[in-house]
Amino acid sequence: KAGVTQTPRYLIKTRGQQVTLSCSPISGHRSVSWYQQTPGQGLQFLFEYFSETQRNKGNFPGRFSGRQFSNSRSEMNVSTLELGDSALYLCASRSGGAGETQYFGPGTRLLVL
Amino acid sequence: GENVEQHPSTLSVQEGDSAVIKCTYSDSASNYFPWYKQELGKRPQLIIDIRSNVGEKKDQRIAVTLNKTAKHFSLHITETQPEDSAVYFCAASPSGGSNYKLTFGKGTLLTVNP
């Protein structure tokens, strides 16, 4: 099976802009979670989508949003970008049921100038 | 919410020695504890995980122990090799389904010196 893929891999934006990141989960996986990774804060949970519904949410402002499509692909959107949003954004997929093993994508590195 | 503390933040060992990384968690509802290895510029990769119904799990040179009463779990790597050099993250979550939400420790940078 192909692994989790993310596009784009690198992105440069300026403050105030918005950005959309995409994640394709492993085939058959219905759960997609998003994480923000920074040197200072480490890996922080953003949200989880399962069957097109947000099932869980971390402690991030409303500027961070997401959605999931019927084919389980997910997008994450950040509006009104701030310098502090510069980070590696990782998505991870799992089956979503009783199995908990989660597999990460390669990440999208976002730089906000 | 859950809080996971991980120690040490850096660890340097000689090739062939053992390495131990320790984590504590706060939420008694957590019962799933994975460990991820992240090499520079790469994605986190699951190396081992343990569920609360067992106290220890081993996979070749890697073992994890769990003490639910004390709310701590540890990663043990024996006979370390240079390719073990990476950042290791512990995490905790309630079980699968809608309660699943991984909270990560801040990571341990392991350096294995040849």
Side-chain angles (χ1 to χ4, degrees):
Chain A
K1 281 185 182 178
V4 180
T5 59
Q6 292 185 246
T7 56
R9 294 294 312 280
Y10 304 93
L11 210 46
I12 300 176
K13 292 286 187 179
T14 56
R15 276 184 303 172
Q17 287 187 309
Q18 74 162 15
V19 67
T20 299
L21 313 181
S22 182
C23 172
S24 292
I26 291 170
S27 178
H29 284 188
R30 295 164 65 192
S31 165
V32 173
S33 294
W34 288 89
Y35 296 85
Q36 181 194 66
Q37 186 174 29
T38 59
Q41 297 300 317
L43 273 158
Q44 292 185 285
F45 173 79
L46 280 154
F47 30 66
E48 181 201 17
Y49 283 86
F50 178 80
S51 292
E52 303 178 63
T53 301
Q54 188 180 87
R55 190 159 70 168
N56 226 326
K57 192 175 187 304
N59 298 323
F60 278 81
R63 301 185 296 109
F64 293 82
S65 63
R67 59 177 175 168
Q68 187 179 34
F69 302 95
S70 58
N71 62 358
S72 294
R73 190 177 69 84
S74 177
E75 288 182 347
M76 191 193 96
N77 184 274
V78 188
S79 62
T80 320
L81 284 166
E82 300 177 0
L83 297 179
D85 296 333
S86 295
L88 180 67
Y89 289 89
L90 292 156
C91 78
S93 79
R94 62 187 185 96
S95 63
E100 296 118 346
T101 302
Q102 184 171 253
Y103 301 91
F104 281 90
T108 295
R109 187 162 295 281
L110 172 64
L111 177 62
V112 182
L113 301 175
Chain B
E2 176 65 278
N3 182 48
V4 177
E5 300 278 344
Q6 182 172 346
H7 299 280
S9 56
T10 61
L11 180 58
S12 181
V13 300
Q14 289 299 122
E15 183 177 358
D17 286 351
S18 295
V20 180
I21 303 170
K22 299 183 178 183
C23 290
T24 60
Y25 63 98
S26 61
D27 189 352
S28 56
S30 288
N31 53 17
Y32 173 63
F33 307 93
W35 287 87
Y36 285 85
K37 173 185 179 182
Q38 187 175 29
E39 296 176 48
L40 189 62
K42 297 196 174 179
R43 72 188 76 189
Q45 300 260 16
L46 179 74
I47 55 171
I48 196 166
D49 57 12
I50 191 167
R51 291 165 177 79
S52 61
N53 56 344
V54 296
E56 184 173 357
K57 184 176 178 181
K58 201 171 180 181
D59 183 4
Q60 299 182 358
R61 297 185 297 109
I62 294 173
V64 58
T65 58
L66 170 66
N67 183 327
K68 279 220 80 177
T69 304
K71 293 198 183 76
H72 65 72
F73 56 112
S74 301
L75 177 72
H76 305 252
I77 306 174
T78 59
E79 299 169 27
T80 54
Q81 300 165 4
E83 51 265 38
D84 294 330
S85 296
V87 178
Y88 291 80
F89 293 95
C90 63
S93 172
S95 190
S98 60
N99 294 321
Y100 187 99
K101 181 180 173 182
L102 279 181
T103 301
F104 284 85
K106 289 287 177 69
T108 296
L109 174 61
L110 173 64
T111 304
V112 180
N113 302 298

